[in-house]
Amino acid sequence: MQEIDYKSALSRMASYCSKSEQCIKNVIEKMAKWELTKEEKEEIIHYLIQEKYIDERRYAEFYAKDKHRFQQWGKNKIGMMLRAKEISEENIRNALSLIESDDYEERLYKLLESKFKKIKYESLYDAKGKLFRYGCSKGFESELILKTCDKIINESLKK
């Protein structure tokens, strides 16, 4: 445990939240190692929310966009990770709805097409299984993965 007074903790948390979007759970985890009372931690959280340092709706939106764009995660994985951060279902639904479906499907297509070129397979059935598992591990929906796998495999047969 680290000894820190209330004002220093408040200042540090405001600075932490102003550098990048944070959620309540991240802030609580950051303060866990400090010797503050439960009331002081709650006051800090309340202040950060009141002053808009923390906005879980905004956090969920940025998180969803960033994870989709940079990690190529699907909606299932993004939603699961936001639930782990104790974000409300309403905020999760809102954040996921901001991911454009055309971009979403195109990203999955490029992801699976790239993977298809790299994998070794004995049959097209084997290839489809590997692509499906990869798509699932990235958090995309099963139905969309299957549709995209079929498209990629059919295009490879035409070549």
Side-chain angles (χ1 to χ4, degrees):
M1 288 286 211
Q2 187 180 9
E3 207 170 305
I4 186 169
D5 69 337
Y6 174 80
K7 284 190 176 191
S8 296
L10 181 60
S11 175
R12 284 189 188 183
M13 286 299 94
S15 174
Y16 174 63
C17 292
S18 65
K19 290 177 185 169
S20 65
E21 290 296 333
Q22 299 300 330
C23 64
I24 293 170
K25 185 166 184 177
N26 288 354
V27 173
I28 290 170
E29 287 172 357
K30 192 88 169 160
M31 289 191 297
K33 61 185 175 217
W34 298 340
E35 290 184 5
L36 295 169
T37 66
K38 184 179 179 187
E39 291 78 23
E40 288 175 326
K41 290 177 184 178
E42 287 173 359
E43 278 182 43
I44 290 171
I45 296 288
H46 180 71
Y47 174 82
L48 295 172
I49 292 170
Q50 187 177 357
E51 296 299 317
K52 300 286 187 208
Y53 284 98
I54 298 175
D55 182 334
E56 294 210 326
R57 179 184 179 121
R58 191 177 63 211
Y59 174 81
E61 290 172 3
F62 279 101
Y63 187 92
K65 287 178 184 176
D66 285 353
K67 293 301 180 183
H68 177 62
R69 185 177 304 128
F70 299 116
Q71 260 78 34
Q72 277 98 43
W73 285 4
K75 291 179 180 180
N76 290 342
K77 189 168 187 173
I78 294 168
M80 182 181 65
M81 297 306 282
L82 286 171
R83 281 182 200 90
K85 295 196 176 280
E86 299 173 6
I87 304 298
S88 73
E89 285 300 318
E90 180 184 346
N91 286 337
I92 292 171
R93 273 193 307 276
N94 178 59
L96 295 178
S97 73
L98 296 176
I99 298 173
E100 296 177 24
S101 60
D102 291 344
D103 176 52
Y104 189 71
E105 291 177 18
E106 186 177 326
R107 193 169 301 272
L108 174 62
Y109 179 84
K110 287 179 181 177
L111 197 63
L112 294 181
E113 183 182 44
S114 172
K115 186 71 172 176
F116 183 68
K117 291 174 184 175
K118 296 175 187 172
I119 61 172
K120 293 184 171 118
Y121 54 91
E122 295 176 15
S123 67
L124 292 177
Y125 179 78
D126 182 35
K128 187 174 181 178
K130 288 180 179 186
L131 290 177
F132 181 78
R133 284 188 295 279
Y134 182 68
C136 285
S137 75
K138 286 294 205 171
F140 288 87
E141 297 83 349
S142 303
E143 192 175 300
L144 185 58
I145 296 168
L146 289 172
K147 184 176 95 173
T148 307
C149 285
D150 288 339
K151 185 176 178 181
I152 290 169
I153 290 171
N154 287 336
E155 286 175 1
S156 77
L157 291 173
K158 290 178 184 176
K159 291 180 182 176

